[in-house]
Amino acid sequence: MHLRPTTAIALLLTLASSISCLPKANLAMAKRASSHPMVFAHYMLIMQPKNGDYTEDINLAKEAGIDAFAVNYGGWNVDWTQHEAQLEKFYRAAEQLDFSLFLSIDTTSVKDKDMIIKLSNTYVSSSAQLKVDGHIVLSSFQTDPPAWDWKTDVLDKINGPVLLLPGTLSDDATALFSNNIPGAGPFTWIHPYATAEQEHSTDVALATQRDRTGKLWMAGIAPWFFTHLSLDKNWAQAQDDKIFVDRWSSLLTLKPNFIEIVTWNDWSESSYIGPPDSSAPGTTDAYWGSADHSAFRSMSKAFIKAFKAGQDSVTVDAADEGVYMFYRRQPARSAGTSDSLPLPSDAAYLKDEIFVVTLLSAPTEVTLVSGDSAPVSWTAPAGLQKTGHPWSFGAQVLQARRGDQVIADKVGAAVVAQMDKYDGNVVAL
């Protein structure tokens, strides 16, 4: 679900004509919402869990402190009757497990406004429907402007007040918080083509405009981005190791009203924090099939807790300690031996390093052994630390001890000089 913002100007012009907002009402809602910051995860409904059972995903999300899934409704070549049945099953599972969902309409494929109205009204009274201040939450992923007017064509026909957070790829903060933009405030997607410094500047501008206008802001954050499927879906991302941990730290200081992790399960774009279904056709040999991202989900716990508490930085208690590493399994500029595709765009930004993240309640001795290189040891401080270390080919071993206590003892997949197909995904453990 990554597209470069070639249509951002048209999108903003269309949205600007859609609805006039009520600044005072928005300000009041923003104040209430800011006192209840929440974290969501973007769930691709088209990527079904094993046996169509949502139980594991819901329980893992709850364990991480995630408040709701933003259910991406739509996708290419969707069987809409089947898709609607899957959504119903998802809502029933969430009701039983005391979890929340809300719709995120994929307007690249959903072209029927009546479908949005029908689905919203179907679940408006569900105990699983996420509500903020009595308003059902509705969001979207959109690139080109939708064919409808959000207010008159959709919101006015839903049976109850709606908190609309429309998605955008734009980085024009002033325009996004214009009084003529529909909804309570924007959901800003990741900009993988931007460097970490550029993304931070955009976030600062968004936070400034949010504070100026009193509207809401939902910020997207991703653990990784990479895809290598075709000539037009062949890209890495320019933020490299700073895309997740560093951005979490930045967002803690900027305090968006909501944060949405993108994604839970978009396997082909390597942006997932959920567990891939290894039994699904094609998964075993895919670049996501053996690339565990569970560490990103575990890391998120401390950030989510800090975000909800209104803290500017992470504090770690003994229950939330963890020592993690993430890395690619091949050099950034090493083409596949039997690969018909060129190197992905933005591969030049990727560093050939092992990245170690420590979340500790007290100083701890950490040792990293990369391949046949000599061990590298250091004392990691209490709190959060992220360090990068050049790799050597071979297995990657990470250990952390505090006196006689073993905090971590992990062996990761080998880094190799070249793979059959280029792999820019990371393992995280």
Side-chain angles (χ1 to χ4, degrees):
M1 293 193 62
H2 157 66
L3 289 169
R4 296 172 186 266
T6 56
T7 59
I9 294 176
L11 170 62
L12 289 170
L13 290 175
T14 300
L15 291 179
S17 64
S18 298
I19 177 175
S20 61
C21 297
L22 300 174
K24 291 183 180 179
N26 284 338
L27 180 60
M29 182 175 289
K31 288 180 177 179
R32 288 191 291 269
S34 64
S35 64
H36 300 287
M38 289 185 282
V39 176
F40 315 126
H42 200 83
Y43 196 104
M44 305 294 291
L45 185 62
I46 198 170
M47 306 289 190
Q48 281 288 287
K50 187 175 183 179
N51 299 323
D53 187 350
Y54 301 97
T55 302
E56 180 184 15
D57 287 341
I58 290 174
N59 286 335
L60 287 173
K62 291 173 68 173
E63 180 184 342
I66 293 169
D67 296 288
F69 281 137
V71 184
N72 189 93
Y73 195 84
W76 300 114
N77 301 316
V78 170
D79 180 327
W80 293 108
T81 300
Q82 182 184 58
H83 211 48
E84 187 172 346
Q86 291 166 341
L87 182 66
E88 180 181 10
K89 187 175 181 180
F90 205 172
Y91 263 92
R92 299 300 169 243
E95 289 170 350
Q96 294 173 7
L97 295 169
D98 192 25
F99 192 62
S100 295
L101 308 174
F102 64 94
L103 289 170
S104 183
I105 303 299
D106 184 346
T107 65
T108 66
S109 58
V110 175
K111 304 300 182 182
D112 181 2
K113 65 181 184 299
D114 292 333
M115 181 185 296
I116 306 171
I117 298 165
K118 174 187 175 183
L119 293 173
S120 297
N121 285 332
T122 297
Y123 299 107
V124 66
S125 299
S126 169
S127 62
Q129 173 60 53
L130 180 69
K131 295 183 179 180
V132 172
D133 191 37
H135 292 62
I136 71 167
V137 178
L138 176 65
S139 188
S140 66
F141 172 83
Q142 55 192 53
T143 53
D144 295 320
W148 53 80
D149 179 296
W150 273 112
K151 184 178 187 304
T152 58
D153 293 338
V154 178
L155 303 187
D156 287 351
K157 298 178 181 180
I158 294 175
N159 298 330
V162 181
L163 178 69
L164 175 66
L165 298 166
T168 178
L169 298 179
S170 173
D171 56 8
D172 187 338
T174 300
L176 287 174
F177 283 92
S178 163
N179 282 342
N180 292 322
I181 296 298
F187 162 39
T188 54
W189 199 259
I190 304 298
H191 306 100
Y193 52 85
T195 65
E197 292 72 24
Q198 290 168 335
E199 189 79 277
H200 176 70
S201 294
T202 297
D203 285 338
V204 170
L206 290 164
T208 299
Q209 292 301 317
R210 182 271 314 270
D211 294 341
R212 181 186 67 82
T213 62
K215 298 186 79 174
L216 302 178
W217 171 34
M218 181 160 71
I221 185 171
W224 198 252
F225 263 118
F226 163 75
T227 191
H228 191 67
L229 297 176
S230 62
L231 285 173
D232 62 347
K233 287 208 70 172
N234 183 33
W235 40 260
Q237 47 90 11
Q239 299 179 39
D240 195 24
D241 61 292
K242 296 181 180 179
I243 193 171
F244 195 56
V245 173
D246 297 64
R247 188 139 185 273
W248 255 121
S249 297
S250 174
L251 290 177
L252 287 182
T253 65
L254 297 175
K255 300 185 181 350
N257 302 86
F258 311 111
I259 291 176
E260 184 169 317
I261 300 172
V262 292
T263 64
W264 183 265
N265 61 340
D266 197 338
W267 318 123
S268 67
E269 295 195 353
S270 308
S271 61
Y272 54 92
I273 64 169
D277 177 7
S278 59
S279 67
T283 297
T284 301
D285 297 328
Y287 52 78
W288 61 87
S290 59
D292 187 8
H293 283 192
S294 61
F296 290 128
R297 188 174 66 251
S298 297
M299 291 178 211
S300 297
K301 295 179 185 179
F303 289 106
I304 291 172
K305 185 179 293 186
F307 174 65
K308 291 181 179 181
Q311 298 174 352
D312 291 336
S313 60
V314 170
T315 56
V316 184
D317 56 37
D320 294 326
E321 285 192 311
V323 176
Y324 311 97
M325 61 179 169
F326 65 96
Y327 58 94
R328 286 173 294 99
R329 292 171 288 183
Q330 66 148 80
R333 296 158 189 82
S334 177
T337 58
S338 60
D339 205 333
S340 62
L341 297 176
L343 293 178
S345 61
D346 294 330
Y349 288 96
L350 304 178
K351 297 185 287 292
D352 292 340
E353 296 184 2
I354 307 291
F355 302 103
V356 177
V357 178
T358 56
L359 289 160
L360 298 166
S361 63
T364 300
E365 293 300 310
V366 179
T367 299
L368 175 68
V369 182
S370 180
D372 58 4
S373 295
V376 177
S377 298
W378 70 98
T379 301
L384 168 67
Q385 183 188 64
K386 181 172 71 70
T387 57
H389 309 269
W391 68 32
S392 293
F393 297 140
Q396 310 300 313
V397 180
L398 180 64
Q399 297 176 325
R401 295 177 180 273
R402 186 184 305 132
D404 295 331
Q405 183 183 7
V406 176
I407 305 297
D409 189 357
K410 301 179 177 182
V411 179
V415 175
V416 298
Q418 198 172 25
M419 304 181 80
D420 291 342
K421 302 289 186 181
Y422 185 93
D423 188 353
N425 196 4
V426 291
V427 293
L429 65 156

